[in-house]
Amino acid sequence: MRGVRTCCHPALFRHLCLLVCCLEGPLSVSLQNTSAVLLAACPCPLGLATPAALVVGTGRAARQGVFFKGGVQLEQLHKTKVVLIDKTGTITHGRPMITDILLTSHPSIQSQRQLLHLAGSAELSSGHPLARVIVEYASQYTRPVDPTEFLSFPGQGVRATVAGQQVLVGNLRLLKEHDVNVSGLPSCKDEWEKGGKTVALVAINRRIAGLIAVADTIKPSSRSAIRHLQALGMRVVMVSGDNVKTSNAVAREVGIGDVLAELTPEDKVRVIRHFQRQRYSVAMVGDGINDAPALAAADVGLAVGTGTDVALEAADVALIGADLEGVVQAILLSRATMRCIVQSFSWALLYNGITIPFAAIGWLNPLLAGAAMAFSSVTVVLNALRLKRSKLRV
Ligand code: ADP
Ligand code: MG
């Protein structure tokens, strides 16, 4: 780059031309040809092509609410072949509503209020969307208290000690891992899940005490955004920590055929590695703490703006809204930026390829060579600026 600046320096160029023009004879001709070749061979436009396009591309993305943490990610995203999308909080709002509560016979639970008090207290410190809705709902009937012990199991649920009782709130995996007998689960669990609801199981002192069904709503833009991603040639896969039935119901609703459910955060990373081994470039879209390892492992991680700080920190791209259309825009912008870089490179190579031979055989005056070099650099910059307004269509 230092060499490039030296040969383009206007003062040096002017002095060189003046000196050359004052000379006569064969020395003058060879000096003129040499300076014309030097000027024609100046790789300014080549050096400008990539940074100019990346700067304009990231700027335009930011105006559209898509924040790339660097130019590399903008460049990387156009290679994406597989997009993995998390369910809760990413495809859905992650603001579920409690629709059903069922008590099983448990010696220490006599009423819904008692169950809600223990479940709400256990969930008090969890940032999961399900936890928030349980706490909110429980607060209408009782006053949740801070648990004496609290442990969160990402992708599974929570374990807490409330008023001396061990409370588990989460999915089947959580209960099984805590040796809770889950053989006699009521059949309504299956029905609720087939209807797309998520069922949080509550166990007190390692015995099932109740089931809380929550229905999450799908973001209005999710369906069209997923259709757009598929139209862009992406393989879209839903990766969820939720159970198979609920995940399938949501996937059907938004038009996703590939569903991987009941995944732990580590499983999500394993799925990414699986696609990467097949030489696919993978983008991961998520919102929760449970998505953070996958967001970091993917070739490009995109976090929705309503997600947790951990997810936003782990991702390469932060979308300002909750909308999945931001992912489509990010990919379109990345493709447009790469197109722009290729155009500028081709132009710069063409310019060098034509002007250097002409300069070498003395058919190009140094003044003209300098002007052509400047024109070429301006063209590259103008081409990059075009990105600011170019139409992005699926
Ligand atoms: P997704 O991958 O779809 O975003 P998560 O990995 O966040 O889902 O959660 C997976 C499942 O784990 C949830 O559907 C829920 O059953 C259970 N779960 C996770 N955290 C909690 C919690 N704090 N309270 C209750 N259940 C939870
Ligand atoms: Mg999520």
Side-chain angles (χ1 to χ4, degrees):
M1 237 4 233
R2 204 173 295 142
V4 173
R5 278 201 203 104
T6 314
C7 78
C8 297
H9 197 283
L12 182 73
F13 170 57
R14 206 167 45 242
H15 291 135
L16 192 66
C17 290
L18 280 173
L19 178 73
V20 167
C21 295
C22 294
L23 291 170
E24 280 178 10
L27 181 63
S28 151
V29 173
S30 51
L31 271 175
Q32 279 200 28
N33 291 358
T34 309
S35 46
V37 169
L38 276 175
L39 286 160
C42 169
C44 270
L46 280 175
L48 271 175
T50 307
L54 290 181
V55 166
V56 180
T58 42
R60 158 114 188 233
R63 271 188 289 130
Q64 290 183 212
V66 179
F67 291 94
F68 283 89
K69 290 195 180 160
V72 182
Q73 289 81 7
L74 180 64
E75 209 179 323
Q76 181 68 33
L77 195 59
H78 89 283
K79 297 182 193 153
T80 303
K81 289 278 177 288
V82 179
V83 183
L84 306 183
I85 312 184
D86 162 62
K87 178 178 77 71
T88 319
T90 307
I91 292 177
T92 66
H93 279 112
R95 269 188 269 114
M97 273 164 44
I98 293 190
T99 56
D100 312 84
I101 298 178
L102 184 92
L103 299 184
T104 57
S105 51
H106 189 286
S108 46
I109 301 294
Q110 263 56 288
S111 66
Q112 271 197 11
R113 193 177 158 279
Q114 265 180 315
L115 182 85
L116 283 169
H117 176 74
L118 292 177
S121 304
E123 294 277 26
L124 214 51
S125 314
S126 168
H128 197 275
L130 263 178
R132 269 179 271 155
V133 72
I134 292 174
V135 173
E136 235 169 69
Y137 192 78
S139 305
Q140 294 173 19
Y141 304 95
T142 169
R143 184 183 292 206
V145 294
D146 275 322
T148 43
E149 235 186 319
F150 172 81
L151 202 58
S152 165
F153 298 84
Q156 294 185 21
V158 296
R159 187 183 77 205
T161 309
V162 184
Q165 315 213 63
Q166 190 208 57
V167 186
L168 293 165
V169 190
N171 54 18
L172 208 53
R173 189 194 290 255
L174 179 83
L175 268 56
K176 279 183 183 162
E177 283 190 8
H178 285 82
D179 301 322
V180 178
N181 180 7
V182 291
S183 53
L185 273 175
S187 59
C188 62
K189 178 177 178 288
D190 265 13
E191 283 161 35
W192 290 343
E193 286 176 348
K194 276 188 199 138
K197 295 176 185 174
T198 301
V199 181
L201 306 168
V202 186
I204 316 287
N205 297 329
R206 295 181 201 269
R207 268 185 75 169
I208 295 191
L211 285 77
I212 303 175
V214 288
D216 199 354
T217 47
I218 293 169
K219 294 175 190 170
S221 58
S222 292
R223 191 174 232 287
S224 68
I226 285 159
R227 211 179 39 239
H228 288 154
L229 287 174
Q230 287 162 340
L232 287 172
M234 305 285 154
R235 178 169 173 193
V236 181
V237 182
M238 182 199 276
V239 282
S240 176
D242 208 347
N243 71 81
V244 178
K245 289 186 209 101
T246 313
S247 303
N248 278 337
V250 173
R252 237 189 340 267
E253 198 57 23
V254 293
I256 297 182
D258 290 335
V259 186
L260 297 167
E262 292 178 18
L263 302 181
T264 61
E266 295 75 36
D267 290 336
K268 291 187 184 182
V269 174
R270 259 178 237 127
V271 174
I272 290 173
R273 299 267 181 259
H274 164 79
F275 282 115
Q276 283 172 336
R277 269 197 301 277
Q278 296 177 24
R279 307 211 170 275
Y280 288 122
S281 182
V282 184
M284 165 79 201
V285 193
D287 73 312
I289 300 175
N290 59 322
D291 299 318
L295 287 169
D299 294 284
V300 183
L302 302 102
V304 289
T306 45
T308 57
D309 291 346
V310 182
L312 287 162
E313 188 57 40
D316 304 298
V317 185
L319 308 172
I320 207 157
D323 203 335
L324 277 185
E325 267 309 326
V327 181
V328 181
Q329 289 304 313
I331 292 174
L332 285 173
L333 259 167
S334 170
R335 286 187 179 180
T337 307
M338 289 317 293
R339 252 194 325 270
C340 173
I341 291 174
V342 171
Q343 282 163 359
S344 296
F345 254 83
S346 314
W347 161 256
L349 284 175
L350 188 76
Y351 151 81
N352 280 143
I354 293 173
T355 50
I356 294 173
F358 276 89
I361 55 174
W363 287 7
L364 193 65
N365 181 294
L367 282 169
L368 271 179
M373 187 270 293
F375 172 71
S376 180
S377 298
V378 170
T379 311
V380 165
V381 173
L382 288 178
N383 190 36
L385 287 174
R386 225 167 35 87
L387 260 180
K388 263 178 140 177
R389 280 177 230 298
S390 61
K391 287 222 163 62
L392 302 175
R393 281 204 202 96
V394 178

